[in-house]
Amino acid sequence: MTEHISKQYDQDLEAIRSRTLQMGGLVESQIRSAITGYLKGDPEVIEQVIAADAKVNELEIAIDDDLREVIVRRQPAASDLRLIMAVSKTVTDLERIGDEAAKIARMAREIGTPARGTRARLAAVNHVSEIAIGMLRKSLDAFARLDAVAAARIIGEDAAIDEEFHAILRQLITFMMEDPRTISTSINIVWVAKAIERIGDHAKNIAEQVIYIVKGRDVRHTPLAEVEREALG
């Protein structure tokens, strides 16, 4: 009987992890579509992204309910409680990434098809979005495999997104100073680049939760060299 209960408990935890990865896949697809909609001004794609946000929110609530039920019914031991807490935080980060994707789509709806002169500037946005999406995919993969070493590498990538964002900012300030007619479009691009930077931050948070699950150490606000030592230790 005890073995049956234990097996069911493991299955419950695995189902929650699978559902979290399903949510991650949906959010990753949402970002890709949001960036495509923004770069091409495709109204159909833009509306799909905005509509998908409701599905992401539903998944967040459903997974939170599952987590609460496991805590109440199973009274998990320390290592399982770490997993449950980390999943809860990961789901929050995924929901916020979904919010950022919806925000990008709403901005795309505002500006419509990008003007020819802005396409070079949008290429920089596309580049930084690829880094952020790559970080998210790798953080979800590290979560699926509970790979602390891979998670530490992802945390190190966050600096690259910050550098790209500041480069875009400097470039756009130059454009606005040279031609005030570009101010409105440039500000819009800054907001999209900022949303992408935040997506990178949330992907980093997920990687930090992987290290917490595996190592039992909270590495938020910890220097990168120390995080890498912890992951390898």
Side-chain angles (χ1 to χ4, degrees), residues 26-60:
L26 176 60
V27 164
E28 184 186 332
S29 162
Q30 210 186 349
I31 305 164
R32 282 197 180 282
S33 297
I35 297 297
T36 301
Y38 186 77
L39 295 176
K40 296 184 177 175
D42 184 328
E44 193 178 333
V45 172
I46 289 163
E47 294 310 318
Q48 282 170 358
V49 173
I50 294 165
D53 195 43
K55 175 67 176 167
V56 172
N57 293 343
E58 281 170 24
L59 273 169
E60 181 193 24

Side-chain angles (χ1 to χ4, degrees), residues 138-229:
K138 284 182 274 190
S139 67
L140 290 168
D141 187 50
F143 176 82
R145 293 184 293 110
L146 294 179
D147 186 338
V149 175
R153 281 199 297 269
I154 295 155
I155 292 165
E157 287 180 32
D158 188 51
I161 289 188
D162 293 344
E163 282 172 25
E164 291 277 346
F165 171 71
H166 288 113
I168 291 169
L169 201 55
R170 285 193 299 273
Q171 186 186 40
L172 290 171
I173 288 167
T174 304
F175 283 127
M176 288 188 279
M177 287 167 68
E178 287 173 354
D179 183 356
R181 289 171 301 177
T182 66
I183 288 173
S184 176
T185 306
S186 294
I187 288 170
N188 189 286
I189 294 170
V190 168
W191 282 115
V192 170
K194 187 65 188 170
I196 293 166
E197 186 205 26
R198 286 200 190 103
I199 289 166
D201 288 340
H202 291 304
K204 176 189 170 189
N205 291 349
I206 293 167
E208 288 172 344
Q209 292 307 319
V210 172
I211 294 173
Y212 177 64
I213 295 167
V214 178
K215 300 291 182 178
R217 166 95 192 276
D218 187 342
V219 294
R220 290 174 298 173
H221 318 298
T222 304
L224 182 58
E226 201 176 317
V227 172
E228 288 169 343
R229 275 198 305 275

Side-chain angles (χ1 to χ4, degrees), residues 67-83:
L67 291 169
R68 273 193 293 272
E69 194 171 325
V70 165
I71 291 168
V72 170
R73 282 173 46 215
R74 307 293 186 189
Q75 297 176 341
S79 61
D80 289 335
L81 192 56
R82 278 209 311 267
L83 173 65

